[in-house]
Amino acid sequence: MEGLKAILLICDGMADRPVPQLGDRTPLEAANNVNMNTLASQGECGLMDPIAPGIRAGSDTSHLAILGYDPYESYTGRGPFEAAGIGMDVKGGDIAFRCNFSTVDENMIVVDRRAGRIESGTDQLAAAVNGMKIEDVTCFFKESVAHRGALVLRGPGLGPSVTDADPHEVGAKVHDVYPCDANDSLSAKTARIVNEFVRRSYQILKDHEVNKRRVSEGKQPANIILPRGAGLAPSLQNFNEKYSLKGAAVVETGLIAGIAVYLGLDIVEAPGATGGLDSDVMSIGRTVLKVLDDHNFVLCNVKGPDVAAHDGQPDAKKEFIEKIDSVVGMLMQNVDKQTYIILTADHTTPIATGDHSGDPVPICFWGPGVRVDSVKAYDERSVVGGGVVRIRGRDLMNILTNLMNTQEKFGA
Amino acid sequence: MEGLKAILLICDGMADRPVPQLGDRTPLEAANNVNMNTLASQGECGLMDPIAPGIRAGSDTSHLAILGYDPYESYTGRGPFEAAGIGMDVKGGDIAFRCNFSTVDENMIVVDRRAGRIESGTDQLAAAVNGMKIEDVTCFFKESVAHRGALVLRGPGLGPSVTDADPHEVGAKVHDVYPCDANDSLSAKTARIVNEFVRRSYQILKDHEVNKRRVSEGKQPANIILPRGAGLAPSLQNFNEKYSLKGAAVVETGLIAGIAVYLGLDIVEAPGATGGLDSDVMSIGRTVLKVLDDHNFVLCNVKGPDVAAHDGQPDAKKEFIEKIDSVVGMLMQNVDKQTYIILTADHTTPIATGDHSGDPVPICFWGPGVRVDSVKAYDERSVVGGGVVRIRGRDLMNILTNLMNTQEKFGA
């Protein structure tokens, strides 16, 4: 595409706190990240609170905020985004559930919540229940990886506040689903539909060919579907319409892909991207460049730093950051002078806690017209004093579309 | 007046991005602005987002925000403020329109949208239609400059969402005005009133003496009034009541004057103020000083930097900033030790784009008791690291009335 473009490179959980094993430096500070430092020297830097100062963001809520959607309004749980992420057509107002294929006995007692960790055949099982009509509601069901799947209910008068059918423990009876508030007639309808869906799923699946074969092989049959985590699919404005951009996403996790799909971004898969520490990050970078041929915005999420931090491995995190650094260098060399690179993280994942924290993350805006500041290095503490000062995730797209000149002026 | 006073000096569109022709400095950075630098050295500096980070502000929305009014609630378009700016008494709930005197033939086909760029006599034409009663609505009309004017409808049950009577092209028939939503009975009433106003304006104006003379001189008659851009006049608290101040405005554009009048500020005109690059800025400064004799707050808007930037002239912008710098020096020398000077801009207008952008602007608070910081120069990048850090336009009046001690304590 012609004109101004942007790469938004979100390094999952890359920010950290000082780590004793690294001499009280963060992995970013300890890493040999010369290209990121060059980016910082040529760009405008600062800190970003993905949601708000101190708020511990999930990757999903953070990505929503960074893409300009208020997570307190748009986030109702993972369900709708996970369903979108596995290719289901989810619309605002639908009720979405995460589901397991499970094994129950004839008394509806859960024998195995994961149906013997079933690996194949779930597509056929899903097809057997997908499209079921209950009252005036259509039940869409699709398998995900392993024993997982998603259920989407579409119809009039449905509410999202219902309990789980999944009892979350082996040996317990499948739970009847109830509305969380007995006076909530919308959720009461949802509960009624889900109970019937679960009942029928058992009737349909217990004698399905796939399960007959599994039983004959001594495996647990995937003879019931157990929904949990009901969520109302939010009505969100299409990203491309909101910002007058043509956007794509090159991301490593299903949840982030689900958010991207939900917002209308094109998903492009990078060969060799695994979402783990073995991921081919350079391949991701090359894919990002290719995507810019016919898009002017790319969201790229690289998962490795978060994985290393969750595992409590400071050296692995540092080394993965250095892999990303090479990609930053490659991108800087290969983009034209009309392209912005925004380098940031979706949240801090401290080695010390192994989980997301609410500390701010460094951010750098690099590209035409930015007010290059005095910051010379890209890490949590070096960016302090930069021209960006301290922004919130929800400011990012406004700042970017201001630079890209796709934003309407407010007023005269 | 005795006691603490303040000059809020808003240099329209003064902030910029690095300009290649100026050695990648901004006009403010390139300018010889010694007095502004002294102000910064003796004051407290930082960045301000007029509305929010990245948001491209108009001068109108920005001034509303800087004066402490949420533009997302108080801004319904230029109409009400322009009407106030030409001296009309606009009240919250009125419906205001921008209008043209136009020329139509007997079939209501627009022959000239600007009535031959009429220069005189519009005051008599306006008087002939002003005060018209249609149903229970009074139609106030006043001429503005050249072929322009404003219509204000006042009466019960009026809505603002109507289409334009002005077809916006020559050769087209005058448009019937409709409510944007057919079910909106309030706007349907407005549409009915406007259609009747337009019809009657033609009946009254076509044979008016002014037009008879114009026709005899071979000029197009201003024989109809065509309203457009309907806006609901917002109900805004009087500025002086809101802040316990006695405020005035010395400004160069009708739109900003309109906002100031609307908020209840006294308008004082400076001799030689043109709103262009030839404006006598020192005269504006002297007027500001005089106004402080009987006011304790002056809003001053100088338009030149924005004009130069819209024209893409970096040197002209730099030179105009230097003119303002002389005024800053004069003000610093002539105000007493009880007077604050706040120096800022209403938005960035980059030379590169020639239009408003959403980049933050520098701000300096100078006067008794401010926490003087380490900033030694007044420009977009030198103020980074100052004590003000990064605020929003809507914070400004709170910070100022805190310093001036006119603000009530919130709590005990």
Side-chain angles (χ1 to χ4, degrees):
Chain A
M1 262 182 96
E2 295 298 302
L4 295 167
K5 303 176 187 179
I7 299 167
L8 174 53
L9 178 52
I10 299 181
C11 308
D12 210 295
M14 179 165 68
D16 211 304
R17 295 175 182 164
V19 179
Q21 303 97 301
L22 298 175
D24 282 332
R25 293 171 302 170
T26 68
L28 252 181
E29 289 171 342
N32 180 21
N33 59 338
V34 287
N35 295 302
M36 293 183 183
N37 293 342
T38 302
L39 193 88
S41 303
Q42 299 174 355
E44 190 178 8
C45 296
L47 290 172
M48 177 173 75
D49 296 292
I51 294 181
I55 299 296
R56 293 181 61 209
S59 284
D60 41 14
T61 51
S62 171
H63 276 75
L64 282 168
I66 287 171
L67 294 172
Y69 299 81
D70 183 348
Y72 293 106
E73 290 178 6
S74 60
Y75 186 74
T76 54
R78 292 162 62 172
F81 302 114
E82 290 206 343
I86 60 171
M88 297 182 78
D89 172 40
V90 188
K91 296 187 196 302
D94 291 348
I95 311 293
F97 301 77
R98 306 167 70 200
C99 299
N100 274 6
F101 284 100
S102 302
T103 310
V104 291
D105 66 17
E106 63 281 5
N107 296 316
M108 289 288 154
I109 304 295
V110 175
V111 175
D112 188 331
R113 281 189 65 234
R114 300 184 182 85
R117 291 195 174 273
I118 185 168
E119 291 288 349
S120 67
T122 53
D123 52 343
Q124 296 168 61
L125 297 172
V129 299
N130 181 40
M132 192 187 293
K133 272 274 193 184
I134 302 176
E135 302 179 20
D136 53 0
V137 173
T138 309
C139 306
F140 299 98
F141 185 86
K142 191 163 192 288
E143 76 290 356
S144 173
V145 292
H147 56 278
R148 300 186 184 89
L151 171 67
V152 171
L153 303 185
R154 183 172 302 156
L158 294 171
S161 302
V162 296
T163 59
D164 294 347
D166 185 344
H168 295 269
E169 56 179 333
V170 168
K173 193 156 189 266
V174 170
H175 283 187
D176 283 334
V177 175
Y178 293 99
C180 299
D181 174 349
N183 294 320
D184 174 358
S185 63
L186 301 181
S187 297
K189 175 173 178 182
T190 302
R192 198 167 67 232
I193 303 291
V194 175
N195 285 324
E196 178 64 13
F197 173 83
V198 171
R199 195 189 66 77
R200 288 199 207 169
S201 77
Y202 176 71
Q203 292 302 324
I204 293 168
L205 298 182
K206 68 182 171 64
D207 302 319
H208 193 283
E209 285 303 319
V210 169
N211 282 326
K212 282 186 185 161
R213 191 162 59 246
R214 287 182 67 78
V215 171
S216 75
E217 292 166 354
K219 295 173 180 168
Q220 299 281 23
N223 60 7
I224 198 165
I225 293 168
L226 296 182
R228 67 181 190 276
L232 174 71
S235 296
L236 301 180
Q237 187 182 4
N238 178 281
F239 179 91
N240 292 328
E241 288 173 11
K242 184 175 169 80
Y243 298 115
S244 301
L245 294 173
K246 184 157 189 275
V250 182
V251 298
E252 291 202 289
T253 70
L255 186 55
I256 306 300
I259 288 174
V261 167
Y262 204 90
L263 299 177
L265 294 167
D266 295 332
I267 300 293
V268 183
E269 293 197 7
T274 65
L277 294 175
D278 61 345
S279 190
D280 186 346
V281 193
M282 193 55 79
S283 165
I284 294 175
R286 282 191 299 266
T287 304
V288 163
L289 282 181
K290 200 182 294 174
V291 165
L292 284 184
D293 288 344
D294 50 5
H295 296 81
N296 57 6
F297 174 85
V298 191
L299 166 70
C300 178
N301 175 285
V302 181
K303 186 71 181 163
D306 191 55
V307 173
H310 277 286
D311 293 349
Q313 300 181 41
D315 289 317
K317 186 166 180 180
K318 177 173 88 71
E319 284 157 24
F320 199 93
I321 289 169
E322 289 168 352
K323 281 172 71 173
I324 299 176
D325 186 70
S326 302
V327 179
V328 170
M330 186 277 285
L331 291 174
M332 290 171 72
Q333 279 178 4
N334 286 282
V335 296
D336 62 29
K337 292 209 185 307
Q338 303 254 77
T339 303
Y340 291 94
I341 298 177
I342 301 101
L343 178 65
T344 191
D346 56 347
H347 50 75
T348 295
T349 308
I351 293 286
T353 66
D355 199 355
H356 303 190
S357 77
D359 310 66
V361 300
I363 186 163
C364 176
F365 291 86
W366 180 92
V370 303
R371 293 175 180 163
V372 179
D373 58 28
S374 59
V375 171
K376 300 292 177 216
Y378 184 85
D379 59 59
E380 297 85 344
R381 290 184 279 200
S382 296
V383 298
V384 174
V388 173
V389 190
R390 186 166 180 164
I391 59 170
R392 297 195 182 193
R394 284 190 66 200
D395 298 323
L396 192 152
M397 286 303 304
N398 290 333
I399 293 171
L400 179 61
T401 54
N402 169 54
L403 289 167
M404 295 178 76
N405 209 20
T406 66
Q407 187 189 127
E408 291 288 316
K409 185 163 61 177
F410 173 40
Chain B
M1 260 180 98
E2 295 299 301
L4 294 166
K5 302 175 186 178
I7 299 167
L8 174 53
L9 178 52
I10 300 181
C11 306
D12 211 294
M14 179 164 69
D16 212 304
R17 295 175 184 166
V19 180
Q21 302 99 299
L22 298 175
D24 282 332
R25 293 170 303 170
T26 68
L28 251 181
E29 290 171 343
N32 179 22
N33 58 340
V34 287
N35 295 303
M36 292 183 184
N37 293 343
T38 303
L39 193 88
S41 303
Q42 299 173 355
E44 191 176 4
C45 295
L47 291 171
M48 178 173 77
D49 295 292
I51 295 180
I55 298 296
R56 293 182 62 208
S59 284
D60 41 15
T61 50
S62 170
H63 275 76
L64 281 169
I66 288 172
L67 295 172
Y69 299 82
D70 182 349
Y72 292 105
E73 291 178 3
S74 60
Y75 187 74
T76 55
R78 292 161 64 171
F81 301 115
E82 290 205 343
I86 59 172
M88 298 183 79
D89 172 41
V90 188
K91 297 187 196 302
D94 291 349
I95 311 294
F97 300 77
R98 306 168 69 199
C99 297
N100 274 7
F101 284 100
S102 302
T103 309
V104 291
D105 67 17
E106 64 281 6
N107 296 317
M108 289 287 150
I109 304 296
V110 175
V111 176
D112 188 331
R113 279 189 67 232
R114 299 183 183 86
R117 291 197 176 270
I118 185 169
E119 290 289 348
S120 65
T122 52
D123 52 344
Q124 295 167 63
L125 297 171
V129 298
N130 182 40
M132 192 188 293
K133 272 275 192 183
I134 301 176
E135 301 179 21
D136 52 0
V137 174
T138 310
C139 306
F140 300 98
F141 184 84
K142 192 164 190 289
E143 77 289 355
S144 174
V145 292
H147 56 277
R148 299 187 184 89
L151 170 67
V152 172
L153 304 185
R154 183 172 303 153
L158 294 171
S161 302
V162 297
T163 59
D164 294 348
D166 184 344
H168 294 269
E169 57 177 333
V170 168
K173 194 153 189 269
V174 170
H175 283 186
D176 284 333
V177 175
Y178 294 100
C180 299
D181 174 349
N183 295 320
D184 175 358
S185 62
L186 301 181
S187 296
K189 175 172 177 182
T190 301
R192 199 166 68 232
I193 304 289
V194 175
N195 285 324
E196 178 63 13
F197 172 85
V198 171
R199 195 189 65 77
R200 287 200 208 169
S201 78
Y202 176 71
Q203 293 303 324
I204 293 168
L205 298 182
K206 70 183 168 61
D207 302 319
H208 193 282
E209 285 303 317
V210 169
N211 281 325
K212 283 186 183 160
R213 192 162 58 244
R214 288 182 67 80
V215 170
S216 73
E217 291 166 354
K219 294 173 179 166
Q220 299 281 21
N223 60 8
I224 198 163
I225 294 169
L226 296 182
R228 67 181 190 277
L232 174 71
S235 296
L236 301 179
Q237 188 181 4
N238 177 281
F239 179 89
N240 292 327
E241 287 173 12
K242 185 175 168 81
Y243 297 116
S244 302
L245 292 173
K246 184 156 188 278
V250 182
V251 299
E252 291 203 290
T253 70
L255 186 56
I256 306 300
I259 288 173
V261 167
Y262 204 91
L263 299 177
L265 294 167
D266 295 332
I267 299 293
V268 182
E269 293 197 7
T274 65
L277 294 176
D278 61 345
S279 192
D280 186 346
V281 194
M282 193 57 79
S283 164
I284 294 174
R286 283 191 299 267
T287 304
V288 163
L289 282 181
K290 201 183 293 173
V291 165
L292 284 184
D293 289 345
D294 49 5
H295 295 82
N296 58 6
F297 174 85
V298 190
L299 166 70
C300 178
N301 174 286
V302 180
K303 185 72 179 163
D306 191 55
V307 174
H310 276 285
D311 293 349
Q313 300 181 41
D315 289 319
K317 187 167 181 180
K318 176 174 89 72
E319 284 157 22
F320 199 92
I321 289 170
E322 290 168 352
K323 281 172 71 173
I324 298 176
D325 187 69
S326 302
V327 179
V328 170
M330 186 277 285
L331 291 174
M332 289 170 73
Q333 279 177 6
N334 285 282
V335 296
D336 61 30
K337 293 209 183 309
Q338 302 255 77
T339 303
Y340 291 94
I341 298 176
I342 302 100
L343 178 65
T344 190
D346 56 348
H347 50 75
T348 294
T349 308
I351 293 287
T353 65
D355 200 354
H356 303 188
S357 79
D359 309 65
V361 300
I363 187 165
C364 177
F365 290 86
W366 180 92
V370 304
R371 295 176 182 164
V372 179
D373 58 28
S374 60
V375 171
K376 300 294 178 213
Y378 183 85
D379 59 59
E380 297 86 346
R381 290 185 277 201
S382 296
V383 299
V384 173
V388 174
V389 191
R390 185 168 183 167
I391 60 170
R392 297 195 181 192
R394 284 191 67 201
D395 299 324
L396 192 153
M397 285 304 303
N398 291 334
I399 294 171
L400 178 60
T401 54
N402 168 53
L403 289 167
M404 294 178 77
N405 208 23
T406 67
Q407 188 188 122
E408 291 289 314
K409 184 163 61 178
F410 173 43

